[in-house]
PDB file of all heavy atoms in Angstrom:
ATOM      1  N   CYS A 835      81.746 122.603 112.490  1.00  0.00           N
ATOM      2  CA  CYS A 835      82.260 122.557 111.119  1.00  0.00           C
ATOM      3  C   CYS A 835      83.587 123.379 111.038  1.00  0.00           C
ATOM      4  O   CYS A 835      84.534 122.983 110.391  1.00  0.00           O
ATOM      5  CB  CYS A 835      81.288 123.145 110.120  1.00  0.00           C
ATOM      6  SG  CYS A 835      79.800 122.042 109.915  1.00  0.00           S
ATOM      7  N   ILE A 836      83.571 124.471 111.727  1.00  0.00           N
ATOM      8  CA  ILE A 836      84.814 125.316 111.826  1.00  0.00           C
ATOM      9  C   ILE A 836      85.958 124.554 112.439  1.00  0.00           C
ATOM     10  O   ILE A 836      87.069 124.514 111.952  1.00  0.00           O
ATOM     11  CB  ILE A 836      84.557 126.652 112.545  1.00  0.00           C
ATOM     12  CG1 ILE A 836      83.534 127.480 111.753  1.00  0.00           C
ATOM     13  CG2 ILE A 836      85.833 127.404 112.749  1.00  0.00           C
ATOM     14  CD1 ILE A 836      83.086 128.794 112.488  1.00  0.00           C
ATOM     15  N   VAL A 837      85.666 123.892 113.551  1.00  0.00           N
ATOM     16  CA  VAL A 837      86.717 123.134 114.243  1.00  0.00           C
ATOM     17  C   VAL A 837      87.191 122.042 113.426  1.00  0.00           C
ATOM     18  O   VAL A 837      88.429 121.726 113.298  1.00  0.00           O
ATOM     19  CB  VAL A 837      86.204 122.661 115.636  1.00  0.00           C
ATOM     20  CG1 VAL A 837      87.203 121.678 116.245  1.00  0.00           C
ATOM     21  CG2 VAL A 837      85.838 123.752 116.537  1.00  0.00           C
ATOM     22  N   LEU A 838      86.250 121.370 112.714  1.00  0.00           N
ATOM     23  CA  LEU A 838      86.699 120.269 111.853  1.00  0.00           C
ATOM     24  C   LEU A 838      87.556 120.699 110.795  1.00  0.00           C
ATOM     25  O   LEU A 838      88.571 120.046 110.436  1.00  0.00           O
ATOM     26  CB  LEU A 838      85.403 119.586 111.322  1.00  0.00           C
ATOM     27  CG  LEU A 838      85.643 118.366 110.353  1.00  0.00           C
ATOM     28  CD1 LEU A 838      86.378 117.223 111.068  1.00  0.00           C
ATOM     29  CD2 LEU A 838      84.319 117.854 109.815  1.00  0.00           C
ATOM     30  N   CYS A 839      87.213 121.864 110.145  1.00  0.00           N
ATOM     31  CA  CYS A 839      88.013 122.432 109.096  1.00  0.00           C
ATOM     32  C   CYS A 839      89.476 122.723 109.573  1.00  0.00           C
ATOM     33  O   CYS A 839      90.448 122.478 108.899  1.00  0.00           O
ATOM     34  CB  CYS A 839      87.425 123.658 108.438  1.00  0.00           C
ATOM     35  SG  CYS A 839      85.916 123.260 107.554  1.00  0.00           S
ATOM     36  N   LEU A 840      89.497 123.335 110.732  1.00  0.00           N
ATOM     37  CA  LEU A 840      90.792 123.724 111.353  1.00  0.00           C
ATOM     38  C   LEU A 840      91.613 122.472 111.658  1.00  0.00           C
ATOM     39  O   LEU A 840      92.862 122.503 111.492  1.00  0.00           O
ATOM     40  CB  LEU A 840      90.569 124.560 112.609  1.00  0.00           C
ATOM     41  CG  LEU A 840      89.991 125.948 112.439  1.00  0.00           C
ATOM     42  CD1 LEU A 840      89.728 126.516 113.816  1.00  0.00           C
ATOM     43  CD2 LEU A 840      90.957 126.818 111.675  1.00  0.00           C
ATOM     44  N   CYS A 841      91.046 121.392 111.990  1.00  0.00           N
ATOM     45  CA  CYS A 841      91.751 120.160 112.261  1.00  0.00           C
ATOM     46  C   CYS A 841      92.218 119.496 111.002  1.00  0.00           C
ATOM     47  O   CYS A 841      93.295 118.904 110.945  1.00  0.00           O
ATOM     48  CB  CYS A 841      90.884 119.186 113.014  1.00  0.00           C
ATOM     49  SG  CYS A 841      90.471 119.679 114.681  1.00  0.00           S
ATOM     50  N   LEU A 842      91.454 119.656 109.885  1.00  0.00           N
ATOM     51  CA  LEU A 842      91.797 118.991 108.670  1.00  0.00           C
ATOM     52  C   LEU A 842      92.899 119.795 107.880  1.00  0.00           C
ATOM     53  O   LEU A 842      93.594 119.188 107.078  1.00  0.00           O
ATOM     54  CB  LEU A 842      90.569 118.854 107.771  1.00  0.00           C
ATOM     55  CG  LEU A 842      89.563 117.840 108.261  1.00  0.00           C
ATOM     56  CD1 LEU A 842      88.308 117.854 107.426  1.00  0.00           C
ATOM     57  CD2 LEU A 842      90.193 116.371 108.254  1.00  0.00           C
ATOM     58  N   ILE A 843      92.992 121.082 108.104  1.00  0.00           N
ATOM     59  CA  ILE A 843      94.005 121.848 107.358  1.00  0.00           C
ATOM     60  C   ILE A 843      95.400 121.346 107.546  1.00  0.00           C
ATOM     61  O   ILE A 843      96.075 121.137 106.520  1.00  0.00           O
ATOM     62  CB  ILE A 843      93.912 123.390 107.833  1.00  0.00           C
ATOM     63  CG1 ILE A 843      92.684 123.986 107.259  1.00  0.00           C
ATOM     64  CG2 ILE A 843      95.146 124.102 107.376  1.00  0.00           C
ATOM     65  CD1 ILE A 843      92.429 125.393 107.806  1.00  0.00           C
ATOM     66  N   PRO A 844      95.864 121.032 108.795  1.00  0.00           N
ATOM     67  CA  PRO A 844      97.231 120.427 108.848  1.00  0.00           C
ATOM     68  C   PRO A 844      97.384 119.141 108.084  1.00  0.00           C
ATOM     69  O   PRO A 844      98.438 118.832 107.550  1.00  0.00           O
ATOM     70  CB  PRO A 844      97.417 120.270 110.342  1.00  0.00           C
ATOM     71  CG  PRO A 844      96.492 121.169 111.002  1.00  0.00           C
ATOM     72  CD  PRO A 844      95.326 121.267 110.048  1.00  0.00           C
ATOM     73  N   CYS A 845      96.304 118.311 108.066  1.00  0.00           N
ATOM     74  CA  CYS A 845      96.358 116.999 107.351  1.00  0.00           C
ATOM     75  C   CYS A 845      96.551 117.294 105.831  1.00  0.00           C
ATOM     76  O   CYS A 845      97.312 116.618 105.174  1.00  0.00           O
ATOM     77  CB  CYS A 845      95.094 116.257 107.628  1.00  0.00           C
ATOM     78  SG  CYS A 845      94.867 115.753 109.352  1.00  0.00           S
ATOM     79  N   PHE A 846      95.785 118.258 105.301  1.00  0.00           N
ATOM     80  CA  PHE A 846      95.918 118.560 103.914  1.00  0.00           C
ATOM     81  C   PHE A 846      97.318 119.098 103.568  1.00  0.00           C
ATOM     82  O   PHE A 846      97.901 118.798 102.578  1.00  0.00           O
ATOM     83  CB  PHE A 846      94.855 119.575 103.470  1.00  0.00           C
ATOM     84  CG  PHE A 846      93.501 119.024 103.467  1.00  0.00           C
ATOM     85  CD1 PHE A 846      92.435 119.701 104.112  1.00  0.00           C
ATOM     86  CD2 PHE A 846      93.172 117.778 102.818  1.00  0.00           C
ATOM     87  CE1 PHE A 846      91.106 119.184 104.044  1.00  0.00           C
ATOM     88  CE2 PHE A 846      91.901 117.312 102.811  1.00  0.00           C
ATOM     89  CZ  PHE A 846      90.882 117.951 103.390  1.00  0.00           C
ATOM     90  N   MET A 847      97.836 119.949 104.483  1.00  0.00           N
ATOM     91  CA  MET A 847      99.169 120.502 104.322  1.00  0.00           C
ATOM     92  C   MET A 847     100.225 119.403 104.341  1.00  0.00           C
ATOM     93  O   MET A 847     101.174 119.451 103.510  1.00  0.00           O
ATOM     94  CB  MET A 847      99.432 121.538 105.382  1.00  0.00           C
ATOM     95  CG  MET A 847      98.611 122.805 105.293  1.00  0.00           C
ATOM     96  SD  MET A 847      98.887 123.896 106.625  1.00  0.00           S
ATOM     97  CE  MET A 847     100.631 124.413 106.291  1.00  0.00           C
ATOM     98  N   LEU A 848     100.143 118.423 105.235  1.00  0.00           N
ATOM     99  CA  LEU A 848     101.046 117.322 105.368  1.00  0.00           C
ATOM    100  C   LEU A 848     100.944 116.478 104.107  1.00  0.00           C
ATOM    101  O   LEU A 848     101.972 116.057 103.591  1.00  0.00           O
ATOM    102  CB  LEU A 848     100.733 116.485 106.589  1.00  0.00           C
ATOM    103  CG  LEU A 848     101.604 115.237 106.815  1.00  0.00           C
ATOM    104  CD1 LEU A 848     103.098 115.688 107.039  1.00  0.00           C
ATOM    105  CD2 LEU A 848     101.155 114.475 108.026  1.00  0.00           C
ATOM    106  N   ALA A 849      99.741 116.249 103.636  1.00  0.00           N
ATOM    107  CA  ALA A 849      99.611 115.401 102.446  1.00  0.00           C
ATOM    108  C   ALA A 849     100.234 116.107 101.261  1.00  0.00           C
ATOM    109  O   ALA A 849     100.942 115.473 100.380  1.00  0.00           O
ATOM    110  CB  ALA A 849      98.164 115.126 102.145  1.00  0.00           C
ATOM    111  N   ALA A 850     100.043 117.417 101.156  1.00  0.00           N
ATOM    112  CA  ALA A 850     100.633 118.194 100.066  1.00  0.00           C
ATOM    113  C   ALA A 850     102.102 118.161 100.109  1.00  0.00           C
ATOM    114  O   ALA A 850     102.845 118.009  99.118  1.00  0.00           O
ATOM    115  CB  ALA A 850     100.100 119.608 100.040  1.00  0.00           C
ATOM    116  N   GLY A 851     102.587 118.268 101.368  1.00  0.00           N
ATOM    117  CA  GLY A 851     104.118 118.232 101.580  1.00  0.00           C
ATOM    118  C   GLY A 851     104.656 116.876 101.137  1.00  0.00           C
ATOM    119  O   GLY A 851     105.707 116.807 100.498  1.00  0.00           O
ATOM    120  N   CYS A 852     103.981 115.847 101.529  1.00  0.00           N
ATOM    121  CA  CYS A 852     104.453 114.461 101.141  1.00  0.00           C
ATOM    122  C   CYS A 852     104.418 114.262  99.647  1.00  0.00           C
ATOM    123  O   CYS A 852     105.335 113.686  99.111  1.00  0.00           O
ATOM    124  CB  CYS A 852     103.548 113.423 101.824  1.00  0.00           C
ATOM    125  SG  CYS A 852     103.797 113.333 103.615  1.00  0.00           S
ATOM    126  N   ALA A 853     103.383 114.819  98.998  1.00  0.00           N
ATOM    127  CA  ALA A 853     103.311 114.640  97.548  1.00  0.00           C
ATOM    128  C   ALA A 853     104.431 115.457  96.875  1.00  0.00           C
ATOM    129  O   ALA A 853     104.991 115.063  95.891  1.00  0.00           O
ATOM    130  CB  ALA A 853     101.962 115.180  97.085  1.00  0.00           C
ATOM    131  N   LYS A 854     104.761 116.618  97.495  1.00  0.00           N
ATOM    132  CA  LYS A 854     105.771 117.498  96.921  1.00  0.00           C
ATOM    133  C   LYS A 854     107.159 116.899  97.088  1.00  0.00           C
ATOM    134  O   LYS A 854     108.037 117.035  96.269  1.00  0.00           O
ATOM    135  CB  LYS A 854     105.738 118.863  97.585  1.00  0.00           C
ATOM    136  CG  LYS A 854     106.722 119.903  97.003  1.00  0.00           C
ATOM    137  CD  LYS A 854     106.508 121.265  97.705  1.00  0.00           C
ATOM    138  CE  LYS A 854     107.539 122.231  97.127  1.00  0.00           C
ATOM    139  NZ  LYS A 854     107.361 123.540  97.815  1.00  0.00           N
ATOM    140  N   HIS A 855     107.347 116.153  98.209  1.00  0.00           N
ATOM    141  CA  HIS A 855     108.639 115.576  98.493  1.00  0.00           C
ATOM    142  C   HIS A 855     108.553 114.030  98.433  1.00  0.00           C
ATOM    143  O   HIS A 855     109.009 113.299  99.273  1.00  0.00           O
ATOM    144  CB  HIS A 855     109.066 115.978  99.958  1.00  0.00           C
ATOM    145  CG  HIS A 855     109.227 117.436 100.193  1.00  0.00           C
ATOM    146  ND1 HIS A 855     108.297 118.253 100.541  1.00  0.00           N
ATOM    147  CD2 HIS A 855     110.382 118.221  99.911  1.00  0.00           C
ATOM    148  CE1 HIS A 855     108.764 119.520 100.641  1.00  0.00           C
ATOM    149  NE2 HIS A 855     109.998 119.494 100.195  1.00  0.00           N
ATOM    150  N   LYS A 856     108.012 113.586  97.328  1.00  0.00           N
ATOM    151  CA  LYS A 856     107.856 112.176  97.113  1.00  0.00           C
ATOM    152  C   LYS A 856     109.321 111.570  96.995  1.00  0.00           C
ATOM    153  O   LYS A 856     110.136 112.142  96.301  1.00  0.00           O
ATOM    154  CB  LYS A 856     107.090 111.982  95.821  1.00  0.00           C
ATOM    155  CG  LYS A 856     106.839 110.432  95.532  1.00  0.00           C
ATOM    156  CD  LYS A 856     106.012 110.262  94.314  1.00  0.00           C
ATOM    157  CE  LYS A 856     105.775 108.764  93.982  1.00  0.00           C
ATOM    158  NZ  LYS A 856     104.968 108.627  92.766  1.00  0.00           N
ATOM    159  N   PRO A 857     109.533 110.457  97.642  1.00  0.00           N
ATOM    160  CA  PRO A 857     110.879 109.807  97.544  1.00  0.00           C
ATOM    161  C   PRO A 857     111.353 109.660  96.125  1.00  0.00           C
ATOM    162  O   PRO A 857     110.580 109.220  95.250  1.00  0.00           O
ATOM    163  CB  PRO A 857     110.686 108.493  98.300  1.00  0.00           C
ATOM    164  CG  PRO A 857     109.584 108.774  99.234  1.00  0.00           C
ATOM    165  CD  PRO A 857     108.685 109.721  98.559  1.00  0.00           C
ATOM    166  N   GLU A 858     112.571 109.970  95.869  1.00  0.00           N
ATOM    167  CA  GLU A 858     113.170 109.917  94.537  1.00  0.00           C
ATOM    168  C   GLU A 858     113.440 108.484  94.086  1.00  0.00           C
ATOM    169  O   GLU A 858     113.515 108.201  92.926  1.00  0.00           O
ATOM    170  CB  GLU A 858     114.416 110.764  94.494  1.00  0.00           C
ATOM    171  CG  GLU A 858     114.195 112.227  94.868  1.00  0.00           C
ATOM    172  CD  GLU A 858     115.487 112.976  95.078  1.00  0.00           C
ATOM    173  OE1 GLU A 858     116.563 112.344  94.948  1.00  0.00           O
ATOM    174  OE2 GLU A 858     115.454 114.188  95.407  1.00  0.00           O
ATOM    175  N   LYS A 859     113.729 107.591  95.055  1.00  0.00           N
ATOM    176  CA  LYS A 859     114.034 106.251  94.823  1.00  0.00           C
ATOM    177  C   LYS A 859     113.246 105.275  95.615  1.00  0.00           C
ATOM    178  O   LYS A 859     112.757 105.616  96.712  1.00  0.00           O
ATOM    179  CB  LYS A 859     115.593 106.016  95.109  1.00  0.00           C
ATOM    180  CG  LYS A 859     116.516 106.873  94.235  1.00  0.00           C
ATOM    181  CD  LYS A 859     117.962 106.694  94.534  1.00  0.00           C
ATOM    182  CE  LYS A 859     118.848 107.606  93.708  1.00  0.00           C
ATOM    183  NZ  LYS A 859     120.245 107.442  94.111  1.00  0.00           N
ATOM    184  N   THR A 860     113.112 104.073  95.160  1.00  0.00           N
ATOM    185  CA  THR A 860     112.370 103.036  95.847  1.00  0.00           C
ATOM    186  C   THR A 860     113.265 102.475  96.940  1.00  0.00           C
ATOM    187  O   THR A 860     114.460 102.686  96.997  1.00  0.00           O
ATOM    188  CB  THR A 860     112.029 101.903  94.948  1.00  0.00           C
ATOM    189  OG1 THR A 860     113.159 101.245  94.454  1.00  0.00           O
ATOM    190  CG2 THR A 860     111.160 102.469  93.764  1.00  0.00           C
ATOM    191  N   ALA A 861     112.634 101.713  97.877  1.00  0.00           N
ATOM    192  CA  ALA A 861     113.350 101.040  98.942  1.00  0.00           C
ATOM    193  C   ALA A 861     114.392 100.057  98.357  1.00  0.00           C
ATOM    194  O   ALA A 861     115.533  99.979  98.843  1.00  0.00           O
ATOM    195  CB  ALA A 861     112.373 100.371  99.873  1.00  0.00           C
ATOM    196  N   ASP A 862     113.980  99.339  97.342  1.00  0.00           N
ATOM    197  CA  ASP A 862     114.985  98.402  96.689  1.00  0.00           C
ATOM    198  C   ASP A 862     116.149  99.155  96.171  1.00  0.00           C
ATOM    199  O   ASP A 862     117.300  98.673  96.358  1.00  0.00           O
ATOM    200  CB  ASP A 862     114.252  97.656  95.590  1.00  0.00           C
ATOM    201  CG  ASP A 862     113.226  96.650  96.065  1.00  0.00           C
ATOM    202  OD1 ASP A 862     113.292  96.231  97.272  1.00  0.00           O
ATOM    203  OD2 ASP A 862     112.340  96.323  95.336  1.00  0.00           O
ATOM    204  N   GLU A 863     115.922 100.252  95.528  1.00  0.00           N
ATOM    205  CA  GLU A 863     117.004 101.060  94.938  1.00  0.00           C
ATOM    206  C   GLU A 863     117.989 101.575  96.008  1.00  0.00           C
ATOM    207  O   GLU A 863     119.177 101.521  95.889  1.00  0.00           O
ATOM    208  CB  GLU A 863     116.479 102.172  94.023  1.00  0.00           C
ATOM    209  CG  GLU A 863     115.835 101.688  92.774  1.00  0.00           C
ATOM    210  CD  GLU A 863     115.085 102.820  92.067  1.00  0.00           C
ATOM    211  OE1 GLU A 863     114.696 103.768  92.726  1.00  0.00           O
ATOM    212  OE2 GLU A 863     114.940 102.702  90.811  1.00  0.00           O
ATOM    213  N   LEU A 864     117.420 102.067  97.060  1.00  0.00           N
ATOM    214  CA  LEU A 864     118.218 102.681  98.150  1.00  0.00           C
ATOM    215  C   LEU A 864     118.993 101.575  98.880  1.00  0.00           C
ATOM    216  O   LEU A 864     120.178 101.750  99.231  1.00  0.00           O
ATOM    217  CB  LEU A 864     117.351 103.406  99.175  1.00  0.00           C
ATOM    218  CG  LEU A 864     116.805 104.785  98.643  1.00  0.00           C
ATOM    219  CD1 LEU A 864     115.752 105.267  99.578  1.00  0.00           C
ATOM    220  CD2 LEU A 864     117.940 105.783  98.541  1.00  0.00           C
ATOM    221  N   ALA A 865     118.388 100.399  99.074  1.00  0.00           N
ATOM    222  CA  ALA A 865     119.058  99.305  99.686  1.00  0.00           C
ATOM    223  C   ALA A 865     120.270  98.816  98.812  1.00  0.00           C
ATOM    224  O   ALA A 865     121.361  98.581  99.362  1.00  0.00           O
ATOM    225  CB  ALA A 865     118.109  98.139  99.908  1.00  0.00           C
ATOM    226  N   ALA A 866     120.073  98.717  97.543  1.00  0.00           N
ATOM    227  CA  ALA A 866     121.154  98.303  96.641  1.00  0.00           C
ATOM    228  C   ALA A 866     122.233  99.396  96.584  1.00  0.00           C
ATOM    229  O   ALA A 866     123.432  99.052  96.591  1.00  0.00           O
ATOM    230  CB  ALA A 866     120.575  98.085  95.211  1.00  0.00           C
ATOM    231  N   GLU A 867     121.817 100.643  96.580  1.00  0.00           N
ATOM    232  CA  GLU A 867     122.758 101.728  96.499  1.00  0.00           C
ATOM    233  C   GLU A 867     123.605 101.785  97.785  1.00  0.00           C
ATOM    234  O   GLU A 867     124.830 101.943  97.688  1.00  0.00           O
ATOM    235  CB  GLU A 867     121.981 102.996  96.359  1.00  0.00           C
ATOM    236  CG  GLU A 867     122.825 104.272  96.329  1.00  0.00           C
ATOM    237  CD  GLU A 867     121.992 105.542  96.183  1.00  0.00           C
ATOM    238  OE1 GLU A 867     121.581 106.105  97.253  1.00  0.00           O
ATOM    239  OE2 GLU A 867     121.740 105.933  95.021  1.00  0.00           O
ATOM    240  N   GLY A 868     122.946 101.696  98.917  1.00  0.00           N
ATOM    241  CA  GLY A 868     123.704 101.675 100.209  1.00  0.00           C
ATOM    242  C   GLY A 868     124.686 100.604 100.311  1.00  0.00           C
ATOM    243  O   GLY A 868     125.839 100.707 100.706  1.00  0.00           O
TER     244      GLY A 868
END
């Protein structure tokens, strides 16, 4: 259980980071802008 928790911590941190840095624009918008 301890090992599993230690393995899952980076995943939760990554998910939190992705949520925090959610792309500001969609792919369509960036393609049109570029």
